[in-house]
């Protein structure tokens, strides 16, 4: 198990900025919340259950950071409205939004993928992203800021996992949504960018339902040492993704918007 650290080598301080991270209870979201807090941001950490949030909030507090725990299902309007109202009452604004919450959902061939499976994946990954961005904008309009979405190499560069149709569609939709938002929100000096990770050492796979048909549909690709060429098969650590989030949130990325950044060690170039 990777031990996440509050240390940061961020060359551009974001001290005093207000950040929201969804899916902050584990994995990429937790790593990003810690990175942003270590760089001086006050962090609203949102996850579906308080239990998942507890460790993230403890680590931020232990590192001297300020955190606001928020419990909400990103796909549901009422809980998200309550979460944003708490941010408004606590800090009155947002400067950084990392819309990261998502699920793999059910991976299965079309003949075994149920409509409710499709709906759940689209609801969390795409509707959840929409609600997060929509309700962030009123808190960002006055000062501007940065919005970062977590998409994936699936549905953007990789299409060989045939059982991942719902997931890939939701991830491709996030890219299109981010581009639309980047243009619409530019007048408010709000930048919108998307990160597309490949394999990352998180627990999301343990929460994925894979039906036999998905495994049968997978198109195998061989490489001498695994499917991540840059690291001889080793997946990325959440901290590596968090470093990219921190860069896109910082003033170093002040002229970058409407852009997808692939962070996958060339995995998608091999498997696409």
């Amino acid at each position: 198990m990777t031990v996440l650290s509050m240390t940061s080598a961020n060359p551009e301080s974001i001290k005093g900025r207000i950040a929201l991270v969804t899916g902050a209870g584990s994995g990429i979201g937790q790593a990003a919340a810690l990175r942003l807090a270590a760089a001086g941001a006050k962090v609203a950490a949102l996850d579906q259950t308080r239990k998942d949030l507890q460790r993230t909030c403890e680590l931020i507090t232990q590192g001297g950071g300020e955190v606001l725990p928020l419990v909400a299902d990103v796909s549901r309007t009422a809980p998200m409205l309550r979460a944003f109202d708490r941010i408004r009452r606590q800090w009155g604004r947002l400067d950084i939004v990392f819309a990261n919450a998502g699920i793999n959902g059910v991976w299965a061939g079309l003949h075994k993928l149920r409509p409710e499976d499709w709906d759940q994946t689209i609801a969390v990954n795409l509707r959840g992203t929409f609600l997060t961005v929509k309700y962030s904008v009123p808190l960002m309009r006055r000062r501007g800021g940065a919005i970062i979405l977590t998409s994936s190499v699936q549905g953007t560069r990789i299409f060989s996992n045939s059982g991942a149709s719902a997931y890939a569609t939701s991830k491709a939709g996030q890219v299109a949504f981010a581009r639309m938002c980047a243009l619409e929100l530019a007048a408010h000096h709000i930048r919108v960018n998307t990160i597309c990770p490949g394999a990352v050492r998180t627990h999301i796979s343990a929460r994925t339902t894979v039906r036999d048909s998905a495994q049968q549909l997978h198109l195998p690709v061989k490489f001498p040492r695994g499917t991540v060429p840059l690291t001889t098969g080793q997946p990325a650590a959440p901290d590596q993704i968090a470093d990219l989030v921190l860069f896109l949130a910082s003033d170093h990325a002040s002229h970058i918007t409407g852009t997808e950044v692939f962070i996958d060690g060339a995995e998608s170039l091999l498997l696409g």
Side-chain angles (χ1 to χ4, degrees), residues 76-233:
R76 296 180 58 203
T77 303
M80 289 296 281
L81 281 170
R82 288 193 293 269
F84 278 95
D85 185 59
R86 285 196 63 195
I87 296 171
R88 181 189 59 77
R89 287 186 282 112
Q90 181 81 8
W91 292 311
R93 72 175 202 273
L94 274 172
D95 305 301
I96 299 163
V97 173
F98 183 32
N100 166 73
I103 59 172
N104 277 355
V106 175
W107 286 33
L110 292 179
H111 63 295
K112 286 197 174 182
L113 186 67
R114 300 171 301 184
E116 54 267 34
D117 300 330
W118 174 277
D119 290 345
Q120 183 186 27
T121 301
I122 299 299
V124 175
N125 293 355
L126 203 48
R127 176 182 167 85
T129 298
F130 162 71
L131 292 178
T132 300
V133 174
K134 175 179 174 62
Y135 296 133
S136 294
V137 171
L139 295 173
M140 301 182 75
R141 277 199 187 110
R142 183 176 297 179
R143 294 166 53 102
I147 297 173
I148 302 117
L149 276 55
T150 300
S151 179
S152 173
V153 293
Q154 301 287 343
T156 53
R157 276 185 177 173
I158 293 180
F159 299 92
S160 52
N161 288 328
S162 301
S165 58
Y167 179 79
T169 299
S170 71
K171 293 297 158 178
Q174 287 176 314
V175 169
F177 177 64
R179 290 183 180 184
M180 295 295 293
C181 291
L183 189 58
E184 181 176 339
L185 299 177
H188 301 292
H189 305 288
I190 299 172
R191 299 180 292 106
V192 186
N193 292 294
T194 308
I195 64 171
C196 297
V200 184
R201 291 195 295 271
T202 70
H203 298 299
I204 192 170
S205 296
R207 302 175 184 176
T208 305
T209 300
V210 179
R211 302 204 174 114
D212 291 342
S213 57
Q215 295 175 338
Q216 294 167 5
L217 285 167
H218 180 71
L219 305 177
V221 178
K222 292 184 178 180
F223 191 75
R225 294 186 180 180
T227 58
V228 187
L230 188 63
T231 56
T232 61

